[in-house]
Amino acid sequence: EAQVTQNPRYLITVTGKKLTVTCSQNMNHEYMSWYRQDPGLGLRQIYYSMNVEVTDKGDVPEGYKVSRKEKRNFPLILESPSPNQTSLYFCASTLAGATNNEQFFGPGTRLTVL
Amino acid sequence: GQQLNQSPQSMFIQEGEDVSMNCTSSSIFNTWLWYKQDPGEGPVLLIALYKAGELTSNGRLTAQFGITRKDGFLNISASIPSDVGIYFCAGPSYRNNNNDMRFGAGTRLTVKP
C-alpha cells in the first residue's frame, strides 16, 4: 500500500530533550516536506527536500533540523524542544513533475513539550 | 507573501444542507487545490484546478478557480455526516519547483445529523 508513515504518533516530552520524528514514504517520491498545524494558522511548512541531500527552509524553520540521506526517509529533528513547538506535525511527499502537485500526507505526530 | 485567506473559519450545518466556502489571495497561483482533513488524519487532495475560471465537479463537490487566479470556492451539496472535517485551499508558491505549498488556515465543517 502506497503510504507515508510517521513515528511516533504521539509524544510528550520536556523542554530541552532532543527528539526525532521519523517519516518514510514508499512511493519513490522525490519531494518531501514537514508541516506543523496550529489552530487558526493552517499548515505551515517547516522544511522541504527536493531530493537526496537537498533540503531547504520553509516558512517556520527555527528550532528544527532535517536530513535526507535516503530518498524514502526525511526525519525531523528538534535539538532542544521548547513549549512553543507543541503542535501537530505532518510529513508529506510529492512526485516530482506531478501535474496536480498532490502532496501525500502522513497520519500526523502530536507533540507536546512541557 | 503568497498567503491564502479562507472563509468562513467554521461552519455548523444540518445534514442535507449545501455548503459554500472560499479562499482569496493577493498573489497569483498557477494551480489551485482543495484538501480535506478528516479528524485525526492527514489532509487528502479533493480537487485540483489549473486554468483561470475553471469549474470542475467531483460527485457532490464543485470547485472553481477564479478568473484572476487569486481566488476560488468549494461547494458541497446535500451534506452528509462524513463531510465533517477541515477543508484547506492550497497552491504552490513560486519559490521553487512547486514543492513549496501554501495552505489556507482551513474551514472547519460540522454536520449535524
Side-chain angles (χ1 to χ4, degrees):
Chain A
E1 181 190 354
Q3 60 182 349
V4 178
T5 57
Q6 294 178 229
N7 281 294
R9 294 291 311 278
Y10 302 91
L11 180 60
I12 301 174
T13 190
V14 295
T15 298
K17 187 176 180 182
K18 180 179 179 179
L19 66 92
T20 299
V21 184
T22 65
C23 173
S24 183
Q25 50 96 4
N26 62 2
M27 296 170 279
N28 204 36
H29 287 171
E30 289 80 9
Y31 298 162
M32 296 185 76
S33 301
W34 274 104
Y35 295 87
R36 60 178 288 173
Q37 183 178 13
D38 301 290
L41 297 176
L43 292 155
R44 294 180 294 167
Q45 193 176 54
I46 302 170
Y47 267 95
Y48 61 91
S49 169
M50 296 175 70
N51 216 321
V52 175
E53 301 292 0
V54 181
T55 63
D56 208 346
K57 297 177 181 178
D59 289 326
V60 288
E62 293 78 22
Y64 304 95
K65 283 173 57 177
V66 293
S67 69
R68 189 90 182 274
K69 293 186 170 61
E70 306 161 286
K71 197 172 187 179
R72 62 183 294 129
N73 296 323
F74 191 43
L76 179 70
I77 303 153
L78 284 72
E79 294 271 3
S80 183
S82 62
N84 64 12
Q85 292 179 298
T86 292
S87 188
L88 179 58
Y89 291 86
F90 287 99
C91 179
S93 72
T94 306
L95 180 67
T99 307
N100 60 8
N101 305 113
E102 181 173 4
Q103 305 225 335
F104 292 84
F105 285 85
T109 295
R110 186 166 291 281
L111 172 66
T112 302
V113 183
L114 302 174
Chain B
Q2 291 183 282
Q3 290 190 326
L4 292 161
N5 303 303
Q6 271 188 263
S7 64
Q9 282 189 327
S10 60
M11 303 181 74
F12 295 83
I13 62 168
Q14 206 71 36
E15 183 177 358
E17 290 182 358
D18 297 341
V19 173
S20 184
M21 59 189 80
N22 62 68
C23 190
T24 62
S25 176
S26 58
S27 303
I28 292 173
F29 285 85
N30 280 336
T31 307
W32 196 268
L33 309 168
W34 286 98
Y35 281 82
K36 183 197 176 194
Q37 182 181 25
D38 287 328
E41 299 184 14
V44 174
L45 183 66
L46 290 177
I47 285 180
L49 302 123
Y50 309 100
K51 299 178 185 176
E54 181 179 353
L55 179 72
T56 192
S57 293
N58 181 3
R60 294 180 297 106
L61 304 179
T62 301
Q64 186 161 31
F65 192 5
I67 198 76
T68 63
R69 291 184 170 271
K70 293 182 179 181
D71 59 358
F73 70 74
L74 175 69
N75 290 343
I76 306 173
S77 62
S79 58
I80 59 178
S82 63
D83 290 333
V84 163
I86 304 176
Y87 292 80
F88 294 101
C89 59
S93 163
Y94 289 124
R95 189 157 63 179
N96 60 59
N97 292 323
N98 291 334
N99 189 41
D100 178 14
M101 192 66 69
R102 299 299 171 116
F103 287 83
T107 293
R108 184 181 293 272
L109 179 63
T110 302
V111 180
K112 297 178 228 177

